Structure formats: C-alpha cells, structure tokens
Amino acid sequence: MLNREREVAVGMVLARRMHLYSLMHLAFGSRPTAESVGKMLSVEAGASFGFVNELLASDGCEDIARRTVGSCGSTIAACVDEAIACIERGERGLEDPARARELVGNLRSAYDKLFQVPGRLYVHPWESPYTSEDSMVFRESTLDVRSFYHDAGFKLQVEKRFPDDHIAAMMDYMGRMGHRAYEAFADGRDDEALRTLAVQRCFADRHILTWVDRFADKVMGNDARGCYGAFAGGMAAFAFLDAALVDRLEKELVAR
C-alpha cells in the first residue's frame, strides 16, 4: 500500500513523463513559432529535464546514465545536461523581444535544414531509414505503428499522407498515452494505468528504442551547438531512462 508521500511522488513521475513526451512532439512536430519556442525554452521544460537529471543520479540508474547515444560519444547524462543548458540559454534570450525574434528565426532556419529540405544537413525524421535498408515510408513497420494509434483510438489527421512513424507522431502518441496513465492513477484506476504503461512499454520497445539514438546522433552531428541537437539528445536519453522508469512504476502500482 502506497503512503501519501509515495502517491504524490508517483503522480509527479507520471506527470513529468507525460510532459516530456508532449514537449518532444512540440519540438519536432512542425516549424517553430514564437509560441512553441516559448514552451520549448520555458521554466517548465527545464524543470522536466531537471527531473530526468535527478532520476539519472538516483540508485539503480548508474548504467543508464553512462550509456552513450549513437556513435557521438556523449553519455545519456551529458545529453540531459546539454538539453538543460540549451533551455536556460534560450530562456534568457527570450527576455529581450529583439533577441527572441532572432532566436525564433534561427530555429526556423535550423528546422528547415534538418527536417524539411533535402541537403547536406538533412536528417530523416521517421523510423524506416534506421531499421531497414532504404528510406521508403509506409512500410510494414509503419502499419504496425498505425495499429497502436488505432487501438488507442487515435488517428493522424493526414493519415496515409504523412508517415505514422515520424518521430513527432510517436512522441505525440506517447504523450497522450502518458496522460491516460496519469489520469487513471489520479482516479484510482490502477489496473488501467498498468495496462496503459504496458502498451507504452511495448510501443517503445518496438518503435522508439530501435532507432531514437541513431536519429539523435545524426541531429546532434548536424546541429552540434543548436537547440535541436540538444533536444534530440535529451529525447533519446529520456526514452532509454523511461524504459526503466516504467518498470519501477509498474511495481509501485501493483503494490498500491
């Protein structure tokens, strides 16, 4: 039986992971606007990554913290530190209107070069190029991703015209499912929370952990000093930590 303190702690973990996945959807889902950049570089965003930092420093997470992302040599702990530093730098920049406009413009330019316009810096933002021998979209794995969305009652507004296995769509799905898990826990529906977490674990194992570090590696290489490199590294770091986090949550909910 969880005491009140542990219930609050579990609720906070569920809320933070929901926010982080939703934040990653915001970052990689579309060209940045003043509003989206304000959320990406907010105090709340920094606090969520700070929460990840605290977890990485806790008992049992040492091996995860030392794991490297892709071939870049950066550890998961270092990637989270860089994401926090990026947010703090950006937050200071947003205080001045002229600097804020410049920052948004720079992020738009970086987003286009990285994810919109084929060229030297372009990075494929969907799963198939990392798990198959070509970069074709709408493969069998894409249909499997779509089946997870449909089973949860979700459907892309541009289904069949936009890759279901795009990183932003996956982060949106994980954020929405994270919200379900949080709401179920808050309402005392632990069985539903456990089922939702199990589905998230399965989806991550099959369609996120198989390629997120290689995606992040490419973004970090092509945007070494930029926000997208920092956010991609932070996203990969959190995805691998979340696998262990879900295991802990499941054990606590079973004991509740």
Side-chain angles (χ1 to χ4, degrees), residues 48 83 226:
S48 289

Side-chain angles (χ1 to χ4, degrees), residues 38-255:
K39 292 178 180 178
M40 287 168 58
L41 304 178
S42 66
V43 172
E44 180 66 17
S48 289
F49 272 114
F51 166 76
V52 174
N53 228 352
E54 292 174 8
L55 287 174
L56 288 172
S58 65
D59 292 340
C61 289
E62 297 87 352
D63 289 344
I64 298 173
R66 289 193 295 266
R67 178 191 175 112
T68 57
V69 174
S71 60
C72 67
S74 294
T75 65
I76 279 179
C79 286
V80 175
D81 286 341
E82 179 55 31
I84 293 171
C86 174
I87 290 169
E88 290 176 347
R89 289 193 301 269
E91 186 186 347
R92 291 194 295 271
L94 292 175
E95 293 174 357
D96 177 73
R99 289 180 64 191
R101 287 192 296 272
E102 181 182 7
L103 177 58
V104 173
N106 290 341
L107 284 173
R108 283 178 181 167
S109 177
Y111 186 90
D112 289 345
K113 291 175 182 177
L114 290 166
F115 310 119
Q116 297 281 80
V117 182
R120 182 176 61 86
L121 299 179
Y122 181 74
V123 179
H124 289 102
W126 56 85
E127 178 185 11
S128 53
Y130 304 90
T131 57
S132 62
E133 296 180 356
D134 55 57
S135 58
M136 291 179 62
V137 296
F138 303 113
R139 305 179 67 92
E140 183 177 347
S141 62
T142 311
L143 299 179
D144 189 53
V145 170
R146 185 181 298 169
S147 73
F148 274 91
Y149 298 169
H150 287 187
D151 287 347
F154 304 142
K155 182 178 180 180
L156 295 182
Q157 292 183 345
V158 287
E159 186 175 276
K160 300 182 181 178
R161 291 183 285 121
F162 183 85
D164 303 73
D165 57 351
H166 192 286
I167 190 65
M170 290 187 176
M171 294 297 105
D172 187 33
Y173 168 77
M174 291 293 281
R176 290 171 184 268
M177 293 296 281
H179 184 260
R180 284 189 180 179
Y182 172 78
E183 289 290 326
F185 173 79
D187 292 342
R189 293 177 280 114
D190 292 358
D191 288 346
E192 182 178 339
L194 281 165
R195 286 193 299 271
T196 304
L197 289 170
V199 172
Q200 284 190 287
R201 177 204 289 270
C202 181
F203 183 79
D205 286 345
R206 284 160 65 168
H207 295 294
I208 296 178
L209 301 182
T210 53
W211 68 289
V212 69
D213 60 335
R214 282 174 287 169
F215 168 76
D217 189 38
K218 287 183 176 294
V219 179
M220 291 164 69
N222 292 352
D223 192 43
R225 302 290 298 172
C227 281
Y228 287 107
F231 269 76
M235 176 175 63
F238 174 63
F240 283 101
L241 173 64
D242 195 43
L245 198 55
V246 168
D247 184 61
R248 291 187 184 183
L249 286 168
E250 288 175 330
K251 289 176 181 176
E252 294 227 46
L253 289 175
V254 168

